[in-house]
Amino acid sequence: MPLSANNPDRKSWLHVDKNSDFPIQNIPFGVFLTRDDIITIGTRIGDTAIDLGALHQLGYFEGIPLTEDIFLQDTLNDFIADGRKTWRLVRNRIAEIFDSENSALKNNKKHKEIVLFRLDEIEMQLPVHIGDYTDFYSSKEHATNVGTMFRDPDNALLPNWLHIPVGYHGRSSSIIPSGIPVHRPQGQTLPGEAEEPIFGPSKLVDFELEMAFITTDANDLGESIPIEEAEEYIFGLVLFNDWSARDIQKWEYVPLGPFLAKNFASSISPWIVTLDALEPYRVEGPKPVKPQLKYLQYKGKKSFDINLEVSIQPQGAKETIVSKSNFKYMYWNMAQQLAHHTVNGCPVNSGDMMGSGTISGPTPDSYGSMLELSWKGEKPLKMKDGSERKFINDHDTVIMRGFCEKEGTRIGFGEVSTKLLPVFNPKKSK
Ligand code: CA
């Protein structure tokens, strides 16, 4: 089926700023609460949010096999479960409805009042009910940096790393949309040369710059997904800030890997940009350093050129960009991750979320965490307000942004912005 929604020459009758992440070629999907307190599935063109539930009720999706309530839901799971053919039909139709040559909705004032919202009239929600969340560890630069700091510079990558897209199962219960603040976690740490652990607030709260992909129903128990089919089951991507407490992590992670250092919060950008919209931005990934087993071998371009950046905004001050990275640096791509995840027959469902792992590039200014940017705190970063950061301070806001750009078309993700609050104090919050 053609991806007519991606036509770079198409213009919309809705206003779109030149540098907008959301031109008519993007058409992401999200869930929002309207000014009338109604939850609906929607999309966005420029700074206009579009109620897809209302558009469907008004007959604009006629001819596409959709259930009546497919967009009148508080999650995208059912729509995602309908599969790639439906996603494409709907994106293509939305592109037609808002094409500058099409005046059907453009000239219908009454319909426009029902369907269109300003961004300040809506409140973005978590777009999917995330059944399961898996986090990979797929940036060679990040794994090398962390291995160098936490273990042994001469053997920074563990022997399995070049053969397996390493990952762990996380908690979906603490995944939150942009804008929801996070409390500094407490836990066990082993400070300095101490022999016994102590309990208290984490002193080393960090972000991890990641992207996450969301799957559709893919396989039954016992079945695996061949790598050449894997992308059929990927609906789209979001920006993903995988909050981490480095001091808790260092003490707890042996031998089973991340636990409480990672599951207190992960923040996502609320608009899911479809894999279809990212088609024009495919690039070659890094060449394998060692031969990979057959089920992980792929043909064609499976990496995506997505510019990423992270800013820290201290309370009441301007933000400072602390990292510029790119999704294309990932050593293991999404198709490899999904093929590996299911090679043992583990089922993947609609709405599952897979984090990429911290996306670090080759240069020190492209590292995807404060742990690496400040090198364990040895090289503090200067903020625009004159203060320094080794890790994240209370009341700092961490903002991640991402976009692709080619031949004048820019497809972006907006941002994921999260404020770090002090340790939760039950007395104070009452
Ligand atoms: Ca992570």
Side-chain angles (χ1 to χ4, degrees), residues 347-365:
V348 166
N349 296 309
S350 175
D352 284 359
M353 192 168 277
M354 315 278 174
S356 58
T358 307
I359 305 164
S360 291
T363 55
D365 59 351

Side-chain angles (χ1 to χ4, degrees), residues 3 43 121 125 208 213 247 330 343 386 399 413:
L3 282 175
T43 186
E121 296 175 313
Q125 311 289 305
E208 287 189 333
F213 66 87
D247 41 1
M330 301 309 288
V343 76
I399 306 156
F413 291 79

Side-chain angles (χ1 to χ4, degrees), residues 14-32:
L14 284 169
H15 173 76
V16 179
D17 282 335
K18 196 172 156 282
N19 283 327
S20 174
D21 280 349
F22 302 98
I24 193 167
Q25 289 79 12
N26 189 337
I27 312 182
F29 292 91
V31 171
F32 58 79

Side-chain angles (χ1 to χ4, degrees), residues 231-414:
E231 287 182 345
E232 292 292 313
Y233 301 105
I234 298 174
F235 175 63
L237 283 80
V238 291
L239 299 167
F240 192 86
N241 179 357
D242 192 21
W243 289 94
S244 299
R246 299 301 180 193
D247 41 1
I248 297 173
Q249 181 182 356
K250 194 177 179 192
W251 170 233
E252 76 171 4
Y253 88 105
V254 182
L256 286 187
F259 189 27
L260 304 182
K262 299 280 188 172
N263 70 6
F264 61 95
S266 303
S267 309
I268 65 167
S269 55
W271 294 105
I272 304 176
V273 176
T274 61
L275 197 63
D276 278 347
L278 298 172
E279 269 306 314
Y281 308 98
R282 285 181 183 274
V283 285
E284 303 263 354
K287 291 271 167 292
V289 177
K290 281 194 171 183
Q292 295 167 353
L293 290 171
K294 194 142 185 8
Y295 76 97
L296 293 168
Q297 292 173 11
Y298 64 94
K299 293 194 184 74
K301 297 174 179 171
K302 301 270 188 222
S303 293
F304 292 85
D305 184 3
I306 305 174
N307 302 291
L308 300 167
E309 69 171 42
V310 186
S311 285
I312 297 174
Q313 184 175 26
Q315 179 141 281
K318 285 208 174 89
E319 57 181 85
T320 303
I321 296 173
V322 294
S323 174
K324 281 182 182 264
S325 186
N326 194 303
F327 191 46
K328 70 182 177 188
Y329 296 139
M330 301 309 288
Y331 186 81
W332 297 103
N333 59 50
M334 295 181 281
Q336 290 177 309
Q337 290 169 339
L338 199 49
H340 181 67
H341 203 313
T342 59
V343 76
N344 65 346
C346 171
V348 166
N349 296 309
S350 175
D352 284 359
M353 192 168 277
M354 315 278 174
S356 58
T358 307
I359 305 164
S360 291
T363 55
D365 59 351
S366 63
Y367 294 165
S369 66
M370 290 302 281
L371 177 70
E372 296 161 271
L373 289 162
S374 76
W375 207 258
K376 294 185 280 189
E378 289 167 10
K379 299 177 190 166
L381 302 187
K382 262 251 178 306
M383 299 289 108
K384 277 186 184 158
D385 67 356
S387 61
E388 288 187 338
R389 289 293 180 286
K390 296 174 179 173
F391 289 88
I392 304 304
N393 289 1
D394 287 349
H395 308 294
D396 282 352
T397 299
V398 175
I399 306 156
M400 295 178 177
R401 299 185 176 91
F403 68 94
C404 312
E405 197 156 30
K406 195 177 172 186
E407 288 154 11
T409 305
R410 172 182 168 123
I411 302 287
F413 291 79

